[in-house]
Amino acid sequence: ECANRLADSGDLTRAAEMFDELFGEGVPSHVRSAALDGLVRTRRKGIVPVVVSLLADPDPATRLVAADYVRDMPGKETTATFVAELANLAPEGKTVLIGALGARGDVIACAPVTDLVAHGDSTVRVAAVRALGRLGNSASVGVLSQFLATGADAQLADVARESLVRLRAAGVDGALVGLLTHEDDGVVSASASI
């Protein structure tokens, strides 16, 4: 509370120092989450690396708090910074970041997220397929349709179908119509219901 009062009074430097202490290792996650709020208010610039570090945190609750900030922090440069971190994160962090990037809806994340639909971890694949529903374009129709094929993983097929329904970019409708002539009956059948 003292740090918040300092921030409210305009003493951002001292408030940030206090929030840094409250954000330290060994501090309970709920205290760290509150301190992060304060850090975002007092640091503004330079907070992106802090949020990135939280995406790699072993505590799932901390990763989810970080995802909230990923969704809300403005700017394409910020998106680009987060996208660059995808390669450095373990599957748990990747999954959370992919979901947050999808929620941001910034299309500059489309290509890197598309690359992750083939990731070795199933939770990463599902997150990437889901995020393409917001980030994707007409080229994403072909990527997503592979998960509708006969014999494909049922969970991925459901998520791909949902993503295909949500796609709104130019050329998507034409690409969806093109699936009706696909060689795989599973793709044709699923496409007809979209």
Side-chain angles (χ1 to χ4, degrees):
E1 191 165 314
C2 182
N4 280 322
R5 280 190 299 232
L6 285 171
D8 291 343
S9 71
D11 191 350
L12 299 181
T13 303
R14 283 187 42 213
E17 290 170 359
M18 291 181 86
F19 286 127
D20 275 333
E21 286 181 38
L22 293 170
F23 189 71
E25 296 216 11
V27 176
S29 63
H30 68 281
V31 174
R32 290 185 79 206
S33 295
L36 180 59
D37 265 347
L39 285 172
V40 169
R41 283 184 35 217
T42 57
R43 280 205 184 154
R44 291 185 185 102
K45 293 185 185 230
I47 197 65
V48 172
V50 174
V51 173
V52 166
S53 73
L54 294 178
L55 291 165
D57 197 279
D59 178 34
T62 301
R63 288 193 302 270
L64 292 176
V65 168
D68 288 340
Y69 288 103
V70 170
R71 282 190 287 275
D72 297 338
M73 296 175 83
K76 291 193 182 302
E77 286 181 15
T78 302
T79 302
T81 300
F82 289 129
V83 164
E85 289 301 320
L86 279 169
N88 303 324
L89 293 169
E92 299 82 9
K94 270 184 182 42
T95 301
V96 170
L97 180 54
I98 292 165
L101 289 169
R104 279 180 78 88
D106 194 336
V107 297
I108 65 170
C110 181
V113 168
T114 299
D115 291 343
L116 293 171
V117 301
H119 194 275
D121 184 272
S122 65
T123 60
V124 172
R125 282 194 308 276
V126 168
V129 168
R130 181 170 285 119
L132 283 180
R134 292 269 326 261
L135 301 172
N137 53 39
S138 60
S140 303
V141 172
V143 172
L144 293 169
S145 72
Q146 70 182 321
F147 299 106
L148 303 176
T150 304
D153 177 274
Q155 180 186 18
L156 277 170
D158 289 343
V159 174
R161 194 174 301 104
E162 292 168 11
S163 289
L164 285 166
V165 168
R166 286 195 319 265
L167 280 175
R168 298 284 178 244
V172 167
D173 290 341
L176 286 170
V177 169
L179 292 180
L180 295 173
T181 60
H182 196 278
E183 67 217 25
D184 186 282
D185 290 339
V187 173
V188 174
S189 176
S191 303
S193 67
I194 295 175

